[in-house]
Amino acid sequence: MFHVGGARTALQNWIYAQQHGGVFVLRIEDTDAARNRPEWTEGIISALDWIGIERGTYEGPHFQSSYAADHTAAATRLYGEGKAYYCDCTRDDVVARSGNKHTGYDGFCRDRALGPGEGRALRFRTPDEGETVVEDLVRGKPTFENRLIEDFVIARSDGSAVFLLANVVDDLSMGINHVFRAEEHLPNTPKQQLLWEALGATPPVWGHVPVLVNEKRQKLSKRRDKVALESYRDEGYLAAAMRNYLMLLGWSPTGDREIVPWSVIEEEYRIEEVNHAPAFFDVKKLRAFNGEYIRALTPSEFTQVCAPWLTGTETIPAPPWDPAKFDAETFTTIAPLAQTRIAVLSEIVENVDFLFLDEPVHDEASWAKAMKDGAAEILDATADAFGALTDWSAETLKATLEAVGEARGLKLGKTQAPVRVAVTGRTIGLPLFESIELLGRERTLARISAARARL
């Protein structure tokens, strides 16, 4: 899955490249076999497509595994130049020497002149003095004392490069000169800068953007939180709403506004203005954003974007009705009523399913709430009154039900509750009388009769 934090950072990189005439590069770091499948790569690419970073408009995807020979060559070069050495120490060895399980590597093998061999990792020899200054467009100039940076591993005993070295070599090979990523990578940055310099190259310009947190201010976790961009897409969030919201996580446009055209974001976004503080990924706020974007669609646009939920796709479940029972004209008529009431597109199904099912859904909670004492009398009177109508319009239906309630000293809200559940299956939904008008006389009376029989 593609993490919403990764999507946010991708957009920041994308906009910066567009603003400066640069090139956005997509690299798939696929060297971990357990986390590498073609369908997962396609998932990332399709998710980028969805938020507007469309395939064909950027460089790549490149695959890290294709550069394995370059990684090995760099490791060999650093060893040959005395900038790296082999080490056979285990973690237990380090702890035994220091007596502290939290201590870092102590440089024990620096001068042992070990060669490559089984159980021997290649470590980078960090400077004993001086400082490494990171040029960061978000955080200024974080400074790290070199003596506090342990001699870190750059290649495993089988010769394969670890992330730190592979990442640097890939950036060098691909001509990367700006890297914007999550702040959790900041501790790696001085190590990577040292590798860049050891390989005779100028490090890129960095930008470490704030981590995303949940309502408890905990870092978003795929094990605990809803973080997959694809799940939001398949739930019915609009790409434009998601893209707008993601860009507000750590940054904001000018003026007292948040929902703005993408063109405004492209023009106003500045990486230097990104906040340092953790950014709250507020699902409730995102939902409200999406509702605003849905209501801004034209009726024809709304009908079009609802289509996947009315038929089903590979990733969106099919609706509960028989496809042969779906009537596009009926949906087009009722769609404007739904458009003002839903916040995500998947909610369209529960709002209109009563029109296309043979029977309404049986929601026990709704039934228990509406079908209390007096419900049977209301249903009987409503069936009689509706059955006598010659004008089956929303206005007449409403006036008729109001009269049923007034005869019993009830307001419309109390009177219509059992009728709504009988007809639609739920206590909440689209305007009742417009719904009944579309459902038609025969089906409406049949449903009221069926509900009465259950009481």
Side-chain angles (χ1 to χ4, degrees):
M1 58 88 186
F2 191 35
H3 196 291
V4 289
R8 184 273 310 263
T9 309
L11 285 170
Q12 292 174 322
N13 280 275
W14 171 259
I15 290 179
Y16 191 88
Q18 300 300 304
Q19 289 174 336
H20 295 82
V23 176
F24 178 93
V25 180
L26 174 62
R27 180 170 70 234
I28 306 297
E29 298 186 337
D30 62 339
T31 52
D32 184 346
R35 301 173 65 186
N36 175 37
R37 293 183 186 174
E39 61 267 29
W40 294 347
T41 297
E42 174 57 29
I44 293 172
I45 295 172
S46 65
L48 287 173
D49 280 341
W50 183 61
I51 56 172
I53 304 177
E54 298 178 351
R55 63 190 86 196
T57 64
Y58 53 79
E59 183 180 313
H62 298 299
F63 293 89
Q64 190 167 70
S65 57
S66 300
Y67 293 81
D70 293 340
H71 305 159
T72 301
T76 301
R77 172 184 165 186
L78 292 172
Y79 173 66
E81 294 176 355
K83 297 174 181 176
Y85 60 91
Y86 283 97
C87 169
D88 61 3
C89 296
T90 66
R91 182 62 193 160
D92 289 343
D93 293 336
V94 175
V95 172
R97 286 196 296 269
S98 67
N100 184 348
K101 65 179 181 179
H102 301 294
T103 192
Y105 179 66
D106 55 5
F108 180 79
C109 292
R110 269 193 169 194
D111 301 315
R112 293 178 65 198
L114 298 176
E118 184 176 350
R120 294 178 180 180
L122 186 63
R123 289 183 179 273
F124 181 76
R125 184 188 293 266
T126 60
D128 296 323
E129 300 177 345
E131 298 175 332
T132 295
V133 179
V134 175
E135 297 287 344
D136 193 304
L137 295 181
V138 176
R139 299 173 184 277
K141 296 185 177 182
T143 301
F144 301 83
E145 292 186 61
N146 291 333
R147 65 181 181 84
L148 300 179
I149 304 174
E150 68 177 11
D151 291 354
F152 53 92
V153 174
I154 58 174
R156 305 174 184 87
S157 60
D158 63 3
S160 62
V162 301
F163 164 78
L164 288 172
L165 179 61
N167 193 259
V168 168
V169 172
D170 290 346
D171 282 353
L172 274 166
S173 301
M174 299 173 195
I176 302 300
N177 47 32
H178 287 72
V179 175
F180 304 148
R181 58 187 185 178
E183 67 174 288
E184 62 201 54
H185 291 288
L186 184 58
N188 290 330
T189 309
K191 299 176 182 179
Q192 290 180 295
Q193 281 204 181
L194 290 171
L195 287 172
W196 276 80
E197 293 163 358
L199 292 169
T202 302
V205 176
W206 308 94
H208 289 88
V209 299
V211 69
L212 303 188
V213 297
N214 62 20
E215 69 278 0
K216 296 181 180 179
R217 297 309 187 264
Q218 301 168 320
K219 178 185 171 184
L220 284 188
S221 166
K222 65 182 180 182
R223 295 177 179 84
R224 178 185 57 238
D225 304 301
K226 181 180 173 182
V227 300
L229 188 68
E230 300 95 320
S231 67
Y232 287 98
R233 177 190 62 196
D234 294 344
E235 189 177 338
Y237 284 84
L238 296 174
M242 176 61 78
R243 189 165 61 170
N244 185 166
Y245 181 70
L246 288 174
M247 287 303 298
L248 299 180
L249 299 175
W251 175 83
S252 59
T254 58
D256 186 19
R257 55 183 180 163
E258 292 184 314
I259 296 179
V260 295
W262 184 247
S263 59
V264 171
I265 295 176
E266 287 183 309
E267 179 180 350
E268 293 192 359
Y269 175 77
R270 298 291 182 272
I271 185 71
E272 296 85 356
E273 296 173 0
V274 171
N275 199 310
H276 296 188
F280 174 28
F281 187 82
D282 187 345
V283 178
K284 291 181 180 178
K285 185 173 181 178
L286 171 59
R287 179 181 170 85
F289 254 62
N290 202 61
E292 292 292 332
Y293 270 87
I294 286 176
R295 289 185 284 279
L297 297 172
T298 66
S300 61
E301 288 172 338
F302 178 69
T303 300
Q304 183 178 359
V305 297
C306 284
W309 287 269
L310 303 176
T311 59
T313 68
E314 289 184 4
T315 57
I316 297 172
W321 55 76
D322 180 344
K325 299 293 179 66
F326 179 75
D327 182 75
E329 185 176 346
T330 298
F331 177 76
T332 300
T333 301
I334 206 165
L337 299 177
Q339 184 175 356
T340 61
R341 288 167 171 78
I342 67 173
V344 292
L345 296 176
S346 57
E347 293 174 347
I348 192 63
V349 174
E350 65 188 46
N351 275 274
V352 304
D353 58 4
F354 72 96
L355 288 168
F356 310 118
L357 291 168
D358 291 332
E359 297 178 357
V361 296
H362 297 296
D363 181 71
E364 291 302 326
S366 294
W367 182 271
K369 183 176 181 181
M371 300 303 183
K372 297 179 179 178
D373 292 344
E377 182 183 353
I378 291 173
L379 291 177
D380 284 339
T382 301
D384 292 340
F386 280 3
L389 291 177
T390 56
D391 175 19
W392 193 264
S393 66
E395 294 80 3
T396 302
L397 290 163
K398 180 180 179 182
T400 302
L401 194 58
E402 283 178 332
V404 169
E406 288 171 0
R408 290 157 182 77
L410 299 174
K411 293 184 178 180
L412 182 59
K414 291 286 186 180
T415 311
Q416 72 177 14
V419 177
R420 177 183 287 279
V421 172
V423 172
T424 71
R426 299 184 178 91
T427 54
I428 298 174
L430 304 185
L432 178 60
F433 303 104
E434 288 81 352
S435 298
I436 292 176
E437 179 181 346
L438 273 175
L439 187 64
R441 178 192 302 272
E442 182 180 343
R443 296 173 72 194
T444 298
L445 294 177
R447 291 184 181 190
I448 292 174
S449 176
R452 175 66 182 86
R454 287 183 62 191
L455 291 173

